[in-house]
Amino acid sequence: MYSCLFLRILGAPWEADTRPNDVMIVTLTEGADPGLVRDALAGLGLWASPFEGRRGSVQLFVHSHSGDVNRERILSVAGVADISEPASRHPRVDVQAASVRFGEIELGGEAAPVLMAGPCSVESEERIHEVAERLAAIGVRFLRGGAYKPRTSPYDFQGVGTDALRWLREAADANDMLVVTEALSEASIDSVAEVADLIQIGSRNMHNGALLDAAGRTGRPVLVKRGMAATVEEWLSAGEYCLAGGAPAVVFCERGIRSFDDRTRNLLDLGSVALLRHVHQLPVIVDPSHGLGRRDLIPHLSRAAIAAGASGLLIEVHPEPERALSDGPQAVTFEEIDSLARDLRAEAPSAIFATG
Ligand code: PEP
Ligand code: MN
């Protein structure tokens, strides 16, 4: 029986041979005393703290307080059998469960894909009730809709605000749905957390550490959308912020990144979805609406996303897309999402968005 130590090596940035933010798993020889190994590692400038991981073994989370760290020296410690790279450089992201439970709904892992849909922005009380009713009838489990909108221009519609949060919750409750909605600022995080089952952090805020931390502190699961110019590493770090702040779980959402090609709104990076699902074993969903910005391609991208490993889809829907106050060109109609849900259900009969 081997046990593991989790190492986070935070070498001094000026030390050429150290790799800041590296995380390593140290496997102990059989019968080794983790306490003694810990002491020996402390002598190398590594500070270990207890850390619970899903590998089911004893793990320590170790920070370096000196830059003088290298692989050979760690291997020379009595009781250390091996060092390996974990799936993720981010210890908490790496050990968070591959799936997240919302009551009877499971998102991630082997669970069938979950459908989340609704308007880009919550526009009126009547509209959001109408949308919720129609979507619930086709098996959508999460109602989406922004009360606070991050717009490129300050003169564009910025969202209805707190009233919209209340309408969203009431519409979801009336139709037995869950709520996913965006928190745009620390000032509104508590009112968002009051209504949201899943707090959305948008692309523009993915680098906002204070907001990620505040979202984590609410104790709600957080949906971390990928920054439009963020590397996968930065995206995982954003999830790490939420978990370090106290979030019980993080769901990642690929929504397209900027590329050299402006023919479509964004470049939907399905490779990153396969990576998060199959290598890091993290719950990841795809937003095909913002992904390309084109309503007509949403069905195709949705299928591709699921094939790549997405555990869910976040789709913008509007009863009259041409009259939407934001993101109309990428919103599908009820008829379109109904037909998409039917096709997906036919392809994956156990899908959770089946109406049953
Ligand atoms: C949205 O979901 O409406 C939104 C603003 O998304 P993103 O942050 O991905 O642009
Ligand atoms: Mn939108």
Side-chain angles (χ1 to χ4, degrees):
M1 218 332 235
Y2 288 105
S3 53
C4 293
L5 296 180
F6 230 88
L7 285 185
R8 162 162 262 183
I9 303 170
L10 297 171
W14 55 88
E15 296 278 346
D17 66 338
T18 59
R19 298 159 62 195
N21 290 320
D22 249 0
V23 179
M24 307 284 270
I25 296 171
V26 169
T27 304
L28 302 194
T29 54
E30 205 166 345
D33 178 342
L36 290 179
V37 176
R38 215 174 141 181
D39 290 347
L41 291 172
L44 293 181
L46 298 169
W47 172 46
S49 55
F51 188 72
E52 244 183 68
R54 70 165 173 244
R55 288 181 180 79
S57 49
V58 181
Q59 296 182 327
L60 297 180
F61 178 34
V62 184
H63 303 259
S64 166
H65 49 82
S66 99
D68 185 25
V69 172
N70 67 44
R71 206 183 155 82
E72 283 63 43
R73 291 192 68 186
I74 295 170
L75 278 171
S76 72
V77 169
V80 170
D82 195 15
I83 309 176
S84 59
E85 296 264 342
S88 162
R89 295 274 178 84
H90 306 274
R92 290 182 180 81
V93 166
D94 182 50
V95 299
Q96 91 146 3
S99 72
V100 185
R101 201 158 253 300
F102 298 86
E104 42 121 18
I105 296 174
E106 189 181 358
L107 193 155
E110 295 313 307
V114 174
L115 204 48
M116 306 181 180
C120 177
S121 14
V122 179
E123 297 176 359
S124 74
E125 187 168 11
E126 297 67 37
R127 268 264 141 105
I128 196 66
H129 275 272
E130 177 196 0
V131 171
E133 208 171 296
R134 295 288 296 267
L135 293 181
I138 61 171
V140 174
R141 309 307 299 268
F142 278 80
L143 181 63
R144 66 144 287 151
Y148 305 99
K149 294 309 303 175
R151 305 304 302 279
T152 303
S153 163
Y155 308 113
D156 285 341
F157 174 63
Q158 304 286 310
V160 170
T162 46
D163 283 345
L165 287 177
R166 183 168 48 80
W167 302 335
L168 187 64
R169 183 73 257 174
E170 287 167 359
D173 287 345
N175 294 282
D176 197 20
M177 296 172 92
L178 296 160
V179 165
V180 52
T181 192
E182 178 167 356
L184 208 54
S185 69
E186 286 175 74
S188 59
I189 194 84
D190 289 332
S191 35
V192 169
E194 246 171 62
V195 306
D197 298 286
L198 181 60
I199 298 178
Q200 176 174 325
I201 298 293
S203 187
R204 291 155 191 80
N205 264 318
M206 193 218 78
H207 292 282
N208 184 343
L211 183 61
L212 295 164
D213 177 62
R217 275 189 278 113
T218 67
R220 292 275 186 205
V222 184
L223 180 73
V224 178
K225 294 190 98 177
R226 183 174 179 183
M228 59 189 78
T231 62
V232 168
E233 193 66 20
E234 289 163 343
W235 188 22
L236 291 174
S237 281
E240 177 77 10
Y241 261 96
C242 300
L243 294 167
V250 166
V251 177
F252 293 87
C253 178
E254 163 62 36
R255 48 77 72 201
I257 48 175
R258 285 267 166 85
S259 84
F260 54 85
D261 190 349
D262 60 4
R263 182 69 191 266
T264 54
R265 183 172 179 183
N266 288 304
L267 171 73
L268 189 67
D269 178 11
L270 292 181
S272 75
V273 176
L275 189 72
L276 260 62
R277 165 73 186 272
H278 298 294
V279 177
H280 296 270
Q281 284 151 33
L282 293 167
V284 56
I285 67 167
V286 165
D287 172 350
S289 300
H290 292 85
L292 258 73
R294 288 181 61 139
R295 168 186 317 139
D296 56 337
L297 297 179
I298 288 176
H300 308 294
L301 292 180
S302 298
R303 275 194 204 87
I306 289 174
S311 290
L313 298 167
L314 181 71
I315 299 179
E316 291 188 337
V317 178
H318 198 282
E320 297 173 279
E322 59 291 345
R323 300 184 62 187
L325 296 180
S326 57
D327 284 350
Q330 63 188 38
V332 292
T333 60
F334 294 132
E335 292 68 32
E336 285 165 334
I337 194 162
D338 188 12
S339 126
L340 171 62
R342 278 175 206 279
D343 289 350
L344 293 174
R345 200 180 306 140
E347 286 161 26
S350 64
I352 199 155
F353 42 80
T355 47

